[in-house]
Amino acid sequence: MPDEVHAARGIGYRLTQWEEWFGSPKPNHLLIVILSEEKVVGFAVAKPNSDTDIQAYGEFHACYILPDYRGGTAGPLAMAALATYLHDRKLFPACIWAFRSNPYRRIYPALGCIPKVFRNRLIAGVSLPEIGYLVPDYQPLLNRLEKMRASAAVRQSQLPQRPRRLSRLFG
């Protein structure tokens, strides 16, 4: 992200955003927190899709994990929790938006996500290229996430253990 975007979306902006989320949870929105040894190492959000540029009912809105915890089981577990939440509320097919410069977006096609929309999003006066992926099917996504989680668990078993837990805050 360019510095202008980070400056505009700094701690004050985020604090207001989080206070709104916690103060008045919206229907069919899920916020989960990813914990390791009682330390917050990430969060993930699912909600109904409100973007008319892509034909989807639900949206994987966010999944942010601290760098030291990426590539492990946290991401697949969080995504599976979001997928199940959206599926149970009949919010499939769903979508995921990713900035083109995000190196982690490479996993979306491997999960069966289909790139459908290529556009620029204006944030803080900065035009950022993004891709909208359609997530068409729940069960194939869940199967791929489970394979990804199992593979990460094998890799992690060769390292000192880092237990992970998801905590549901609302939804």
Side-chain angles (χ1 to χ4, degrees):
M1 286 286 155
D3 291 341
E4 306 93 306
V5 174
H6 282 295
R9 299 281 174 108
I11 190 80
Y13 177 91
R14 294 297 180 198
L15 184 57
T16 300
Q17 182 182 45
W18 285 99
E19 285 173 344
E20 182 181 316
W21 280 0
F22 288 118
S24 58
K26 293 179 176 56
N28 293 319
H29 282 59
L30 173 68
L31 168 63
I32 58 174
V33 175
I34 304 163
L35 301 172
S36 177
E37 299 173 8
E38 303 306 315
K39 174 186 173 187
V40 174
V41 299
F43 72 95
V45 176
K47 67 182 198 64
N49 176 43
S50 59
D51 195 316
T52 58
D53 284 348
I54 195 163
Q55 292 185 345
Y57 294 108
E59 179 182 341
F60 292 82
H61 185 68
C63 188
Y64 295 101
I65 300 169
L66 291 175
D68 287 349
Y69 296 85
R70 293 177 189 158
T73 59
L77 286 171
M79 291 292 290
L82 298 180
T84 299
Y85 183 85
L86 291 171
H87 178 262
D88 290 352
R89 281 149 188 80
K90 300 187 182 351
L91 295 173
F92 254 82
C95 65
I96 298 173
W97 292 96
F99 293 111
R100 277 193 211 163
S101 61
N102 180 348
Y104 294 98
R105 73 177 173 81
R106 72 183 183 281
I107 69 164
Y108 298 140
L111 291 174
C113 305
I114 303 164
K116 289 286 188 178
V117 178
F118 299 84
R119 68 181 187 192
N120 287 352
R121 180 179 298 266
L122 192 63
I123 300 177
V126 178
S127 183
L128 300 168
E130 70 177 352
I131 301 171
Y133 294 89
L134 183 66
V135 187
D137 299 308
Y138 169 71
Q139 197 57 55
L141 171 66
L142 222 54
N143 294 343
R144 289 176 176 127
L145 286 167
E146 176 52 26
K147 286 180 184 176
M148 186 183 287
R149 187 212 55 78
S151 176
V154 168
R155 286 191 313 274
Q156 284 181 323
S157 71
Q158 300 165 2
L159 302 171
Q161 289 296 318
R162 287 183 151 165
R164 295 202 166 90
R165 188 178 80 206
L166 303 178
S167 290
R168 183 183 213 153
L169 296 181
F170 61 78

